[in-house]
Amino acid sequence: GDAPAAGSSRGAAGDRILRLRAEAYEAAELAAALRADGPGSGRYASRGTHSVTRASDREAEKNSKRATKRALTAFHEARKAGALTESDEAFLGAQLGVRDGGGSAAERRLRDEEAMLYGMSRGLDGMDSRQIQGMRSNLAAEGTREYNDMNSRGLPRGTEREVCSGYEKVVIPAPVRDKSLLRSRIDLDEAMGADSDERAAFEGTKSLNPMQSAVFESAFTTRENLLVCAPTGAGKTNVAMLTVTAHLRDVGLIGKSGYDSDGLGELSIGQKIVYIAPMKALAQEVVEKFSSKLKCLGIIVRELTGDMQLSRAEAEAANILVTTPEKWDVVTRKGGDGSLGSTCGLLIIDEVHLLADERGAVIESVVARLHRFVESSQRNVRIVGLSATLPNYEDVAKFLRVDKRKGLFFFGPEHRPVPLQQTFIGVTSGGNRFQREKKMDDVCYEVVSDALRQGYQCMVFVHSRKGTGTTARALAERAAFEGELDALFTGDSEENEARAKYADRAEKSRNKELREHFRNGMGVHHAGMLRNDRRLTEQMFNDGAIVVLCCTATLAWGINLPAHTVVIKGTDVYMPEKGKNVDLSILDVQQIFGRAGRPQFDTSGDATLITSHDAMARYLDKLVRSTPIESNFIKQLADHLNAEVVAGTVTNIREAVEWIRYTYLHVRMCKNPLAYGVSSVQHESDPTLRKRSEELAIEAAKLLDERKMVRFNPESGNLAVTNMGRVASHFYIRNQSVATFNEMMEQKRDYATDADLLHIMCCADEFENLRVRPEELDEVDKIKKESCPLETLAPVEEFSGKCSVLLQAYISKARVTSFTLISDTNYIASNAGRVARALFEMSLKGGNAPAALKFLRLAKSIDNRFWWFQTPLRAFENELKKNVFVALEDHRTAKGRGGGQYTTFERALSLLEMDPDEVGQLCHCFRDGKLIKKHVRYLPKVDVSVSVQPITKSTLRFRIDLSPNWTWSPRYHGGAEGFWLWVEDSENRRTYHSEYVLFSRRNHPEDKALEVIVPLFDPMPSQYYIRIVSDSWVGCESLIPVSFQHVLVNGLGSPTFFTNLFDLTPLPVQALNDTR
């Protein structure tokens, strides 16, 4: 009975011997091949004049040593098991340089000779039939360039490598789609009903693609949280539309609410849908797309971003809000019942893989806040995450609270509508940067021209705004040199109807680069261009008027504008916080590659990455071994903790630890503790990492306390909000900026000029990334000389100096010509108003009256683009002639620009006391006297009367009556006008009371009465001042002195002023004998 077992045992032993022998030979051959391929092998010596120096020589040497080590291990194991004959040992020993085979020197010499003879004779003659068969099965087809490192790297079969002059190229073929493995398509008429409201939202779509069909059940018939990971172009927008229509149906806005499988009542679900897009450009595209599809159902879609401000009524009326992560973070910070955030019932987050980006911390904050809100309020809010393919999608699903069995969907590259061929080119030539750049331009031209010859359009992605124009010029110069500019790029204008159609519009553009590149059949696209120019460029490329588009990565994340061929030229991206170039992230590479191939026209797409040789190896490695996306939350933990403290959701360290547990940071910290400063010993003793979370919370709390943003008690762990923290949270100001403001304001506490305060604002961390470029300095100096009324206190070579000059140029409406300066000016203008408002509120709440007034003036000037020492009638620039402003400003009684008391408001109001003819004569507009007076009456003026009553020796009661005294115009004043009112002491330069007063159109011109209690100090000052300043109209402000001459407070402190208090026994209420 034991014979078969013994036989099988002997067979297994024999197999093991054969396997060990084969492994020893394979390992030795691989080691020999790597040595032959190594830097010292002289492999490229025979390539004539074009010798290629590999940038990865050291890496190759390391690989060779590792392979030799593995081969030696395999050799010793095989010899120990008796798997090698003497001839085998001799041959392998010679290959590996082994000289310890034992025996005498004569025996070793004999073995060496035998090994040499064996090596010479070993070939097809020396092989048995099994070895020959094995060799033939491993041979690739004749003429192949298949990448021999394919198996060790894990790259797909069919990957080819080619070494050319000055660069190496690796081509990864497009995957073959096996349609039989894909989900069958769902017919929408059958699934939704041909006449249903839900079906109307998908007009023009007959059926869902395989990816959308797989998700349909979970997206449309349940309220499960979803995470859908799919390649770019797979159709994730339609998945979002499925969840949108399902939500609208569930809350009763469309169709019949018959799918409510969870039995959720209407009240438990918020009505509003919020779609978070990563960029403003993408938000605009989503609004257009959703509006066109849902218009027939009466659904209102609105954009809520930095570019598009909505009134509260408009935001509440919208059914769908499309916003950016930062904007929604600000909205939800000001939470509470009835707030916009509390009305959300469906939150869709597009491009969730941005968690790995700097801005990922904002998404973490928003989602963590939502999870806590859902738990505390017991409301049902659905979260839908849409993402590119992620290596650690399960971690993201856990963070979003997605049920892995019901709501997690991952789709591979086979779901791309157009198969993608990827090419990686590593430039090896040249020791200096200039030579490398030149080679990259040459290689880029080869790829682009090859695509154009086949009749395809091409997009070239670079990593700086300036680089777009430089690359387009380099391509045009090379094409002209090769004599191919007309044939490939511009073509015959008469034949190209689209080119003829756009010729006039392109030539009329103010953008010099747009005109220049259009003539060469190319375009540039980046965030620094004006929105109209960007839109025109997109339309021209879409219609085929231009064949090459040089752009920045903004286009890959933002607009859906595909091309057959996509090229990434260079992978060095400057990171200001590190002060150096870093590799373009693999997520960005995949996002850009996703733009290759147009589903409606192409059967395949081509994507090429051109980089340095050593970077190419890193990208190939990342492509195979996808690195999990990590959290960036720790860097911004202090700012987000401050926001929670201000909102009242975190009041101590224990609650802060709980809050951190809702973030993606906590998910990844548990999975990859070493990356977040947690040792393996710490992780073993504290698996939930509560201790590490507590350390992070305490660290952030101490930082905030140091910067006066919260009050932290280390003993009790309690956290209390401060005015500084509240303002920073509401205006989205970073804690680094607050630290800068605290320090600089303290230095200027006694007295600060307008120039001082402008300089403080320009030192904000928000402007730190402004790079000063040498080629801009001449123009910046010219602007400083001609358009800056305030002194610039920092050199223009520093970011704060440049910021000050460009901001003053923006307010003065100076003409800026440089492309990069226009872009920087737009960035400064979009942030400066917010920073100035924050500084105003910080100064006002800190009691610094002069600084508060100057910051408010600056904020209004930024919003309206004219100075507070100019006439307030400039608000009507489109209605009144320029002569009016010049005349009034010539007669202003200010002591000088940027200093002294400004009386421009009183000067404008004095025109009301003149006849129209006198006004016309004064303003050099003889026929416009009536028109000028009419517009002066629109300026918001408030008449103030005050009565003072002493309460005690150290407190006074002010009764303030406010009378609005202007003509209300809905065009200029809207529905309400706001004013800031504060009581200040001119001697101590402090505010003792401040409040915001709102006058509404409905109640105009009703008076308002305020009662204010203010402190009084010994010795009693002669007077206080009440200042009332318009919140939005530049220059509209009044100062009212309140005299204390007739206020008697001396008797208030005497004992006879108050009646004596008798010590009586209290009586019960019944003693009153009153039935009430």
Side-chain angles (χ1 to χ4, degrees):
D2 294 332
S8 83
S9 172
R10 280 195 300 275
D15 288 345
R16 180 171 175 272
I17 285 171
L18 287 173
R19 181 174 54 79
L20 287 171
R21 181 174 181 273
E23 282 175 357
Y25 269 103
E26 282 173 11
E29 283 169 3
L30 178 62
L34 284 172
R35 277 202 305 278
D37 219 8
S41 63
R43 176 180 167 181
Y44 300 112
S46 61
R47 292 188 62 87
T49 55
H50 298 283
S51 65
V52 179
T53 306
R54 284 177 174 266
S56 55
D57 283 347
R58 276 180 296 197
E59 189 65 25
E61 198 172 346
K62 283 183 190 171
N63 289 338
S64 174
K65 285 180 179 176
R66 283 194 209 106
T68 304
K69 195 173 178 182
R70 281 197 293 268
L72 282 168
T73 305
F75 170 74
H76 290 306
E77 280 183 7
R79 192 169 64 177
K80 189 177 176 183
L84 303 178
T85 64
E86 283 189 6
S87 299
D88 289 335
E89 281 186 43
F91 175 75
L92 292 173
Q95 288 276 77
L96 300 172
V98 178
R99 290 290 180 266
D100 60 344
S104 65
E107 284 177 334
R108 284 199 298 273
R109 227 179 4 259
L110 191 65
R111 281 181 188 165
D112 290 349
E113 287 172 11
E114 192 175 75
M116 187 179 68
L117 289 168
Y118 184 88
M120 287 168 64
S121 65
R122 192 172 193 262
L124 290 175
D125 291 339
M127 292 185 185
D128 57 29
S129 58
R130 184 177 59 80
Q131 289 171 324
I132 292 173
Q133 187 62 37
M135 182 198 74
R136 291 176 71 176
S137 67
N138 286 325
L139 287 176
E142 185 179 351
T144 189
R145 298 192 300 271
E146 189 162 320
Y147 197 4
N148 62 10
D149 202 15
M150 175 186 70
N151 294 324
S152 61
R153 278 195 191 280
L155 291 167
R157 187 165 289 280
T159 299
E160 295 178 353
R161 181 179 81 170
E162 184 180 359
V163 178
C164 305
S165 172
Y167 65 90
E168 182 179 350
K169 180 161 76 171
V170 175
V171 181
I172 301 173
V176 179
R177 295 180 77 191
D178 186 350
K179 293 187 178 179
S180 64
L181 299 176
L182 301 179
R183 172 76 182 260
S184 56
R185 299 176 75 98
I186 288 180
D187 185 280
L188 286 174
D189 286 345
E190 290 177 13
M192 294 181 174
D195 301 322
S196 67
D197 286 350
E198 295 93 317
R199 180 68 184 88
F202 291 88
E203 189 180 353
T205 307
K206 290 183 180 178
S207 62
L208 299 176
N209 70 23
M211 185 276 283
Q212 295 156 359
S213 301
V215 177
F216 177 80
E217 191 72 27
S218 296
F220 191 69
T221 65
T222 74
R223 286 195 61 82
E224 286 287 336
N225 286 354
L226 290 185
L227 174 61
V228 180
C229 301
T232 306
K236 294 190 285 287
T237 308
N238 265 359
V239 172
M241 184 57 82
L242 284 172
T243 62
V244 165
T245 50
H247 178 81
L248 295 172
R249 175 201 68 212
D250 290 347
V251 297
L253 287 172
I254 64 169
K256 298 174 184 176
S257 186
Y259 293 92
D260 198 0
S261 57
D262 296 332
L264 295 162
E266 203 170 302
L267 295 174
S268 64
I269 310 173
Q271 291 266 334
K272 208 172 294 298
I273 297 168
V274 176
Y275 189 111
I276 295 180
M279 289 178 173
K280 285 184 277 192
L282 188 56
Q284 291 152 13
E285 190 186 329
V286 170
V287 169
E288 288 171 16
K289 194 176 286 183
F290 277 29
S291 295
S292 64
K293 291 195 171 191
L294 298 169
K295 193 176 181 181
C296 59
L297 300 173
I299 300 300
I300 302 168
V301 185
R302 299 300 296 264
E303 179 186 340
L304 178 63
T305 62
D307 287 351
M308 293 291 292
Q309 299 293 341
L310 299 180
S311 67
R312 187 174 179 83
E314 287 172 327
E316 286 175 353
N319 303 110
I320 302 174
L321 287 174
V322 184
T323 183
T324 55
E326 289 78 9
K327 191 70 180 177
W328 191 244
D329 188 18
V330 171
V331 168
T332 53
R333 284 178 179 193
K334 303 168 185 176
D337 279 340
S339 67
L340 206 54
S342 66
T343 61
C344 173
L346 169 63
L347 180 70
I348 301 170
I349 307 173
D350 200 358
E351 315 288 8
V352 178
H353 51 272
L354 278 175
L355 281 168
D357 190 67
E358 290 296 309
R359 299 167 67 210
V362 183
I363 296 174
E364 290 193 49
S365 178
V366 166
V367 173
R369 192 175 296 135
L370 182 62
H371 285 326
R372 298 187 83 207
F373 170 74
V374 166
E375 287 187 7
S376 62
S377 64
Q378 291 299 299
R379 295 188 190 181
N380 183 275
V381 182
R382 186 184 196 187
I383 298 178
V384 174
L386 307 175
S387 164
T389 48
L390 291 170
N392 56 329
Y393 52 88
E394 290 190 353
D395 293 340
V396 179
K398 187 177 179 182
F399 162 61
L400 295 176
R401 302 288 174 92
V402 171
D403 187 322
K404 291 178 185 176
R405 291 166 300 165
K406 300 177 185 174
L408 177 57
F409 296 89
F410 181 85
F411 301 96
E414 68 278 4
H415 284 85
R416 262 189 66 88
V418 179
L420 178 66
Q421 175 175 294
Q422 302 173 72
T423 304
F424 292 81
I425 295 175
V427 172
T428 59
S429 67
N432 65 43
R433 185 181 158 204
F434 177 77
Q435 287 174 310
R436 264 200 316 276
E437 288 286 331
K438 178 74 174 66
K439 190 64 188 176
M440 279 189 186
D441 284 336
D442 292 345
V443 173
C444 181
Y445 179 77
E446 287 174 26
V447 176
V448 170
S449 59
D450 189 47
L452 297 181
R453 282 188 199 96
Q454 296 175 58
Y456 297 128
Q457 285 178 297
C458 187
M459 289 166 79
V460 181
F461 285 86
V462 293
H463 311 298
S464 70
R465 295 169 182 183
K466 183 184 173 187
T468 56
T470 308
T471 301
R473 270 182 224 101
L475 289 171
E477 286 167 12
R478 177 69 189 271
F481 178 76
E482 299 283 348
E484 295 180 322
L485 187 61
D486 291 338
L488 296 180
F489 289 81
T490 56
D492 192 335
S493 298
E494 293 176 8
E495 289 180 15
N496 190 336
E497 292 177 13
R499 188 165 173 75
K501 172 185 164 187
Y502 284 104
D504 285 345
R505 286 176 66 185
E507 288 299 326
K508 285 176 185 174
S509 171
R510 282 181 56 202
N511 189 322
K512 191 176 89 176
E513 285 205 323
L514 191 148
R515 297 195 303 270
E516 176 196 338
H517 298 309
F518 178 79
R519 292 170 197 142
N520 295 327
M522 289 185 276
V524 294
H525 189 291
H526 56 74
M529 293 168 67
L530 296 174
R531 191 167 173 178
N532 289 341
D533 288 336
R534 286 203 309 267
R535 188 64 64 88
L536 174 61
T537 303
E538 289 159 21
Q539 289 169 351
M540 290 194 299
F541 188 74
N542 212 23
D543 294 347
I546 53 178
V547 290
V548 177
L549 184 60
C550 298
C551 47
T552 56
T554 320
L555 192 61
W557 289 103
I559 299 94
N560 185 18
L561 192 70
H564 176 275
T565 303
V566 164
V567 180
I568 302 174
K569 190 183 81 118
T571 54
D572 283 347
V573 180
Y574 182 75
M575 187 169 280
E577 64 173 27
K578 293 187 177 176
K580 63 177 184 179
N581 287 330
V582 296
D583 278 348
L584 179 70
S585 77
I586 191 70
L587 282 174
D588 280 319
V589 171
Q590 288 169 340
Q591 188 74 22
I592 294 170
F593 275 16
R595 293 287 171 223
R598 300 161 301 166
Q600 63 273 45
F601 304 116
D602 299 333
T603 54
S604 68
D606 283 320
T608 302
L609 175 78
I610 305 170
T611 183
S612 61
H613 192 272
D614 53 345
M616 182 186 80
R618 292 197 295 273
Y619 281 108
L620 288 172
D621 198 44
K622 286 175 184 173
L623 201 67
V624 177
R625 294 188 302 100
S626 300
T627 311
I629 61 169
E630 299 294 352
S631 169
N632 275 303
F633 199 62
I634 287 180
K635 294 177 190 172
Q636 298 175 37
L637 181 62
D639 288 324
H640 292 292
L641 176 60
N642 177 58
E644 300 304 319
V645 173
V646 170
T649 54
V650 170
T651 59
N652 54 48
I653 292 297
R654 184 174 52 78
E655 289 177 0
V657 171
E658 283 303 310
W659 164 68
I660 288 173
R661 289 166 67 84
Y662 286 87
T663 63
Y664 182 64
L665 165 67
H666 188 263
V667 175
R668 283 305 300 162
M669 209 156 55
C670 291
K671 279 279 183 77
N672 186 16
L674 287 173
Y676 300 92
V678 182
S679 68
S680 53
V681 176
Q682 281 176 291
H683 192 209
E684 283 172 22
S685 62
D686 182 19
T688 60
L689 295 180
R690 193 172 186 85
K691 191 72 181 167
R692 177 59 179 153
S693 300
E694 190 176 315
E695 286 171 9
L696 289 171
I698 290 171
E699 203 176 298
K702 283 179 178 175
L703 181 73
L704 293 171
D705 184 67
E706 182 187 308
R707 290 172 179 178
K708 302 176 186 174
M709 293 170 73
V710 301
R711 284 283 162 260
F712 171 51
N713 185 333
E715 292 175 8
S716 64
N718 289 340
L719 297 163
V721 67
T722 66
N723 285 330
M724 194 80 76
R726 186 178 284 111
V727 172
S729 172
H730 287 176
F731 286 96
Y732 223 71
I733 303 295
R734 300 173 191 167
N735 69 82
Q736 295 93 327
S737 294
V738 174
T740 304
F741 298 156
N742 287 340
E743 185 183 339
M744 297 181 79
M745 288 293 286
E746 195 57 44
Q747 291 169 3
K748 297 289 180 182
R749 182 78 202 182
D750 294 336
Y751 180 72
T753 63
D754 294 322
D756 289 330
L757 298 181
L758 174 64
H759 174 62
I760 289 171
M761 194 197 83
C762 291
C763 287
D765 198 58
E766 278 72 5
F767 305 120
E768 194 180 33
N769 290 349
L770 287 174
R771 293 170 61 190
V772 182
R773 305 167 183 92
E775 65 270 19
E776 298 170 346
L777 288 175
D778 289 344
E779 188 175 353
V780 172
D781 284 332
K782 184 184 173 190
I783 295 169
K784 180 182 174 182
K785 200 176 291 181
E786 295 174 1
S787 308
C788 294
L790 301 182
E791 186 185 353
T792 303
L793 299 180
V796 293
E797 291 81 9
E798 292 178 12
F799 78 88
S800 55
K802 179 181 177 181
C803 177
S804 175
V805 170
L806 293 184
L807 182 58
Q808 292 189 65
Y810 175 78
I811 296 171
S812 302
K813 296 184 180 174
R815 185 174 174 81
V816 180
T817 55
S818 164
F819 223 42
T820 51
L821 284 180
I822 291 170
S823 144
D824 287 343
T825 304
N826 291 338
Y827 172 77
I828 292 165
S830 63
N831 287 282
R834 170 174 62 87
V835 177
R837 289 269 174 185
L839 279 161
F840 157 65
E841 290 208 17
M842 285 175 186
S843 301
L844 190 64
K845 288 180 165 66
N848 188 339
L853 176 64
K854 287 170 181 173
F855 278 128
L856 182 55
R857 284 173 175 167
L858 180 58
K860 292 191 293 181
S861 291
I862 294 165
D863 294 340
N864 293 277
R865 297 194 70 183
F866 66 92
W867 294 96
W868 57 85
F869 43 75
Q870 294 176 305
T871 176
L873 287 174
R874 281 187 178 270
F876 311 110
E877 205 164 30
N878 296 328
E879 282 73 34
L880 300 177
K881 291 175 183 171
K882 193 176 179 182
N883 300 9
V884 178
F885 314 136
V886 173
L888 289 173
E889 285 160 14
D890 279 348
H891 289 84
R892 68 177 186 271
T893 56
K895 291 177 184 175
R897 282 180 168 186
Q901 296 295 318
Y902 309 110
T903 58
T904 53
F905 188 39
E906 284 79 3
R907 179 72 184 164
L909 292 175
S910 69
L911 299 179
L912 295 174
E913 297 166 10
M914 303 181 190
D915 293 332
D917 292 342
E918 288 179 295
V919 172
Q921 192 173 357
L922 176 71
C923 298
H924 310 302
C925 296
F926 300 101
R927 296 180 183 177
D928 292 347
K930 282 187 180 178
L931 181 69
I932 294 166
K933 287 187 72 171
K934 177 186 174 184
H935 282 87
V936 171
R937 289 191 186 96
Y938 288 145
L939 295 175
K941 176 181 181 290
V942 178
D943 293 330
V944 182
S945 61
V946 189
S947 62
V948 183
Q949 179 187 354
I951 299 175
T952 70
K953 196 176 181 180
S954 59
T955 52
L956 298 173
R957 179 191 287 126
F958 283 13
R959 181 176 175 79
I960 306 170
D961 292 309
L962 306 174
S963 304
N965 186 8
W966 73 87
T967 303
W968 196 289
S969 165
R971 178 182 174 187
Y972 299 119
H973 305 104
E977 276 293 347
F979 286 82
W980 287 96
L981 178 145
W982 64 81
V983 180
E984 63 179 70
D985 178 357
S986 60
E987 292 174 20
N988 296 322
R989 309 173 68 81
R990 290 196 60 79
T991 58
Y992 296 129
H993 175 84
S994 64
E995 65 180 272
Y996 184 70
V997 182
L998 200 64
F999 294 95
S1000 67
R1001 178 187 172 192
R1002 193 187 311 159
N1003 301 325
H1004 188 74
E1006 264 184 26
D1007 291 2
K1008 282 188 179 291
L1010 305 176
E1011 272 201 3
V1012 174
I1013 307 296
V1014 295
L1016 192 64
F1017 301 97
D1018 203 18
M1020 187 171 74
S1022 59
Q1023 61 186 12
Y1024 280 173
Y1025 291 96
I1026 291 176
R1027 193 181 292 274
I1028 185 157
V1029 187
S1030 169
D1031 184 52
S1032 54
W1033 289 72
V1034 177
C1036 295
E1037 55 189 65
S1038 303
L1039 185 69
I1040 301 94
V1042 180
S1043 173
F1044 296 154
Q1045 262 186 338
H1046 306 293
V1047 177
L1048 301 173
V1049 293
N1050 290 335
L1052 295 177
S1054 64
T1056 58
F1057 184 81
F1058 300 103
T1059 58
N1060 292 327
L1061 185 67
F1062 294 105
D1063 188 14
L1064 298 173
T1065 305
L1067 292 172
V1069 178
Q1070 287 82 354
L1072 296 171
N1073 290 323
D1074 192 329
T1075 54
R1076 286 178 297 171

